[in-house]
Amino acid sequence: MNRDVGFFNFSVNKILTKDQSTLDQARIRLLYYGLWLAIIAVGAVLINLYVEHREILTFSTSVLLLSLVILFKYLTFRPRWGIISHIMLVLATMVNLTNVFITLQNVDIITAQITFLIIVFSFYMLGQTCGLFYSLVNLIPILIFLVLMFNSSYVIGLKPKVVDESTKIISICASFIFIIFVQNYFYRAFIKNIRQLKVTAEERGSLNVELEKVLEKAEKSSQAKSEFLSTMSHEIRTPMNAVIGMTNLLMMGNPRPDQKDNLEILKFSANNLLALVNDVLDFNKIESGKVVFENIKFNLVELMQNVCGGQRLKAEEKGLNFILEIDNNLRNKDVFGDPTRLSQIIFNLISNGIKFTHNGTVWVKVNQLENRHNTITVDFSVKDTGIGIERENLNAIFEPFTQESITTTRQYGGTGLGLAIVKRLLELQNLRMSVQSQPGKGSEFSFNMEFPVSTESAAEPVSNQPVVLRAIESMGTPRVLIAEDNMVNVMLMKKLFSKWNIVPTIAENGERAIEMVQYGNFDIILMDLQMPVLNGFDAAVEIRKLADPKKANIPIIALTASALFDIRERVFGSGMNDYVSKPFKPDELREKMQSLLSAAIQN
């Protein structure tokens, strides 16, 4: 309601506001003009009764007129239409039943009109429930009165009053006018509301069209962003592949101690640069909701030992103590989950602990909290004696591209994405990170994770590498086809394969790779995905269509520097058997080649 309305306001426009619905505004207008009509009609009846010297009727009509004036003033000062409607209906009911049982002791056309008016007004103004209530309150007593009159059993001590014809005519005309006014006004309000609904529907339709355009534009923008990241990833990873690959080759060639130190620095810097690129791409993947968690069986103890193995060396190089404590209850248990994402979380937490600790210890603790037969709850904790975090900065460290302070960023470097990635990965699994820290004393990051437990007995890990090697040796030197358009990468691959006593065949694009497979014999194909003439995806599809079953089923490993989120699905969808991301680790590539070649021999 409008609080600026003064007591002496008589305008209906000042008591209407934009917050009120169309129906409420119509109800307020109906009360406003209806009270005017009622005051005029009751005033005319009062004058006529006064002239005819009907004292009792004159008094009761005066009270009714005064009540209507007070209600009108209350409406123009505080438009509480609900309260006013109830008061008017109570007054009308009292007048109606008083006329029937006391004053007139009769049911005539005026009574019928007032009853009908009460029914219509109560339904329009107050809704179905109140409409039924006021209708029954008026109809039931009138019906009882008619039954009593029919049996000639209604007798009270008061003599009924006689109303002259002029008063009846005025009352009947006023009732008819009021009934017509109510029906006409609400019909207009109903039609207006229908039209507004139509306009609203049309506007909503237009908004939906605009929303679809905006969503389409956002989708295209997201797709363009993904393609840009893929392109930039490819452009960055391709030279990085050469830098890291050549560094690995040089280190495999027994360099002098001084050369080895330089190569270690080169490798460390290249890996740091690659880690920064991977952090940005991985965070973008998480924010886009493209992360899908695996549910595979793995040994938690082995996973933690593998993750902490490299980090232990890194800590010891910095002069730190590194302690890994694993609950003995976890030793012989295999669990189901996503080992890759769990490794990523633990790796980031340990890396942070080592980075921000100058001297002291980094602890990694893994404890079993609950064991519910087929499910266990494990507490992971990474604690350090590093620089610590101020209490007011505890929330900020989990924001992307943010560290505790600008000084921290300048002194320790990094993108500030490590903890942001950890937090997002945990949140996607409905988990929460707990942080305890004291500036100058260190920090502890911990979280609980639930794992289904494998019911099979945990077997001792047995390496299948000797079997694989024997399988490869039994078939001689494998014939390898490499589809790669980048000459630096070609040179790198040749040098790498020479270390394994393999001379690969090179195809400069996908189309050339298909021709070589058709007219040559190969045991395995390494397929770059982004090549001129024909890309790796299409080339793999065409190879799978070859008539010769042996050639159509040749193992294909994708070599990709792309960061597209659906790369895994596209690789397997095109018929390739596996993929390795550039820059790849030589051991990883060799292991996957051996696995596929061994499977091909067994088949």
Side-chain angles (χ1 to χ4, degrees):
M1 76 181 60
N2 192 348
R3 294 290 181 181
D4 297 331
V5 175
F7 180 77
F8 296 101
N9 170 62
F10 290 96
S11 171
V12 67
N13 293 324
K14 290 184 178 180
I15 59 177
L16 298 176
T17 65
K18 294 180 180 179
D19 297 335
Q20 298 161 343
S21 66
T22 303
L23 184 59
D24 288 348
Q25 290 184 358
R27 285 166 170 161
I28 292 172
R29 289 182 184 275
L30 174 64
L31 281 175
Y32 181 84
Y33 294 113
L35 282 169
W36 266 116
L37 288 174
I39 290 170
I40 293 172
V42 172
V45 172
L46 176 63
I47 293 171
N48 191 62
L49 291 173
Y50 178 78
V51 171
E52 294 181 1
H53 303 288
R54 310 284 185 180
E55 290 82 2
I56 296 178
L57 290 175
T58 300
F59 175 77
S60 60
T61 305
S62 300
V63 173
L64 178 61
L65 179 62
L66 179 63
S67 300
L68 292 174
V69 171
I70 293 173
L71 287 175
F72 179 79
K73 182 64 251 162
Y74 182 66
L75 175 68
T76 56
F77 179 58
R78 289 289 181 266
R80 297 186 174 96
W81 55 267
I83 297 174
I84 296 172
S85 298
H86 280 293
I87 294 173
M88 287 184 65
L89 287 166
V90 170
L91 286 174
T93 300
M94 291 174 59
V95 170
N96 194 29
L97 297 181
T98 300
N99 285 338
V100 171
F101 283 92
I102 300 174
T103 307
L104 302 178
Q105 298 182 23
N106 188 23
V107 177
D108 56 11
I109 187 173
I110 298 176
T111 303
Q113 284 181 316
I114 293 175
T115 303
F116 179 73
L117 189 58
I118 289 172
I119 293 171
V120 173
F121 186 82
S122 62
F123 271 99
Y124 282 161
M125 292 299 296
L126 299 174
Q128 182 180 9
T129 303
C130 292
L132 286 172
F133 172 77
Y134 284 108
S135 300
L136 294 175
V137 167
N138 281 269
L139 287 174
I140 291 174
I142 291 174
L143 291 175
I144 293 173
F145 176 81
L146 289 174
V147 171
L148 293 174
M149 289 296 293
F150 180 77
N151 295 324
S152 302
S153 57
Y154 181 75
V155 177
I156 62 172
L158 295 176
K159 183 179 179 181
K161 301 297 178 182
V162 179
V163 180
D164 65 339
E165 291 300 319
S166 60
T167 303
K168 285 184 178 181
I169 292 172
I170 294 172
S171 300
I172 291 170
C173 290
S175 297
F176 272 126
I177 291 171
F178 204 80
I179 290 170
I180 293 170
F181 171 74
V182 171
Q183 291 284 71
N184 176 68
Y185 197 86
F186 265 96
Y187 177 79
R188 286 170 55 196
F190 174 75
I191 295 299
K192 182 180 179 181
N193 198 38
I194 292 295
R195 288 172 179 169
Q196 286 185 343
L197 287 174
K198 183 179 178 181
V199 172
T200 302
E202 292 174 351
E203 290 177 351
R204 184 171 295 177
S206 300
L207 287 174
N208 287 337
V209 172
E210 292 297 323
L211 180 60
E212 288 178 2
K213 291 180 179 177
V214 171
L215 289 175
E216 185 179 355
K217 186 177 179 180
E219 188 176 345
K220 288 181 178 178
S221 175
S222 177
Q223 185 178 356
K225 177 184 175 184
S226 296
E227 291 176 355
F228 170 77
L229 283 172
S230 176
T231 303
M232 290 305 298
S233 168
H234 185 271
E235 295 303 317
I236 294 173
R237 287 169 181 261
T238 298
M240 286 300 299
N241 181 50
V243 172
I244 295 176
M246 288 296 182
T247 305
N248 288 328
L249 286 174
L250 289 171
M251 293 184 70
M252 292 166 63
N254 297 320
R256 299 192 311 267
D258 60 325
Q259 292 175 332
K260 187 175 181 180
D261 290 341
N262 292 336
L263 291 173
E264 288 287 355
I265 295 171
L266 178 61
K267 184 178 180 180
F268 177 79
S269 300
N271 284 329
N272 271 0
L273 178 58
L274 182 62
L276 296 178
V277 174
N278 287 340
D279 276 352
V280 174
L281 296 175
D282 210 12
F283 183 77
N284 183 70
K285 182 177 179 180
I286 293 169
E287 290 292 281
S288 301
K290 301 291 185 178
V291 174
V292 178
F293 291 93
E294 291 183 314
N295 189 31
I296 61 176
K297 186 168 73 171
F298 66 97
N299 187 278
L300 190 58
V301 175
E302 290 180 12
L303 177 76
M304 292 304 302
Q305 288 174 343
N306 291 335
V307 172
C308 295
Q311 297 292 75
R312 183 190 301 274
L313 295 175
K314 187 176 177 182
E316 290 174 353
E317 287 174 359
K318 197 175 178 181
L320 304 176
N321 296 320
F322 189 93
I323 300 174
L324 172 62
E325 297 179 4
I326 301 178
D327 194 331
N328 286 327
N329 292 318
L330 300 172
R331 293 288 174 183
N332 297 316
K333 287 182 181 176
D334 286 340
V335 298
F336 290 94
D338 191 330
T340 303
R341 293 301 175 185
L342 178 58
S343 299
Q344 187 175 12
I345 292 170
I346 300 297
F347 181 88
N348 279 333
L349 291 177
I350 297 174
S351 294
N352 260 29
I354 295 173
K355 181 196 293 186
F356 296 110
T357 302
H358 295 295
N359 50 70
T361 307
V362 175
W363 290 272
V364 180
K365 299 180 182 179
V366 184
N367 292 313
Q368 178 179 295
L369 297 181
E370 292 184 62
N371 185 355
R372 295 184 299 277
H373 183 54
N374 290 330
T375 306
I376 60 172
T377 301
V378 181
D379 176 67
F380 296 90
S381 171
V382 178
K383 185 178 179 181
D384 62 66
T385 56
I387 61 174
I389 307 164
E390 296 288 348
R391 180 178 295 275
E392 59 270 19
N393 295 329
L394 285 177
N395 291 327
I397 61 173
F398 290 103
E399 294 303 315
F401 305 104
T402 303
Q403 292 184 347
E404 186 185 7
S405 65
I406 296 176
T407 304
T408 304
T409 304
R410 288 176 178 172
Q411 185 175 353
Y412 296 96
T415 59
L417 281 175
L419 290 179
I421 291 173
V422 168
K423 182 186 177 185
R424 300 297 195 278
L425 288 175
L426 290 175
E427 287 177 344
L428 289 173
Q429 301 173 81
N430 297 319
L431 302 176
R432 189 177 64 87
M433 173 71 70
S434 175
V435 186
Q436 295 180 351
S437 184
Q438 285 185 310
K441 293 186 177 181
S443 307
E444 182 176 5
F445 295 82
S446 60
F447 63 93
N448 296 337
M449 188 174 286
E450 194 174 87
F451 298 96
V453 180
S454 173
T455 55
E456 300 176 4
S457 299
E460 290 296 325
V462 178
S463 174
N464 64 342
Q465 186 173 359
V467 177
V468 174
L469 287 174
R470 285 197 298 270
I472 295 175
E473 289 171 1
S474 66
M475 65 175 291
T477 303
R479 294 160 295 184
V480 181
L481 174 64
I482 300 176
E484 173 67 71
D485 64 307
N486 186 285
M487 296 311 297
V488 175
N489 285 340
V490 169
M491 183 174 63
L492 171 64
M493 297 294 282
K494 285 182 177 179
K495 289 184 180 246
L496 177 61
F497 275 77
S498 68
K499 301 287 184 182
W500 300 338
N501 297 318
I502 297 174
V503 180
T505 304
I506 307 299
E508 60 272 17
N509 56 61
E511 187 176 80
R512 181 65 178 148
I514 297 171
E515 292 176 1
M516 289 184 172
V517 173
Q518 285 177 325
Y519 300 108
N521 293 309
F522 298 97
D523 299 311
I524 193 167
I525 301 173
L526 303 182
M527 184 79 71
D528 186 34
L529 297 183
Q530 295 187 9
M531 295 183 291
V533 184
L534 193 68
N535 63 48
F537 298 109
D538 296 336
V541 170
E542 294 302 319
I543 290 172
R544 295 300 183 221
K545 293 179 182 178
L546 294 177
D548 187 343
K550 185 177 180 181
K551 294 182 177 181
N553 294 316
I554 184 172
I556 303 176
I557 298 178
L559 299 176
T560 174
S562 174
L564 281 177
F565 305 139
D566 58 349
I567 191 69
R568 179 186 177 91
E569 289 76 11
R570 291 186 65 190
V571 165
F572 291 113
S574 62
M576 289 183 262
N577 303 85
D578 208 337
Y579 74 98
V580 176
S581 297
K582 298 177 183 176
F584 58 82
K585 297 176 182 177
D587 291 341
E588 180 187 4
L589 176 61
R590 184 176 182 178
E591 182 181 344
K592 292 194 175 186
M593 287 176 61
Q594 290 172 342
S595 177
L596 290 174
L597 288 170
S598 176
I601 293 171
Q602 293 172 5
N603 293 332

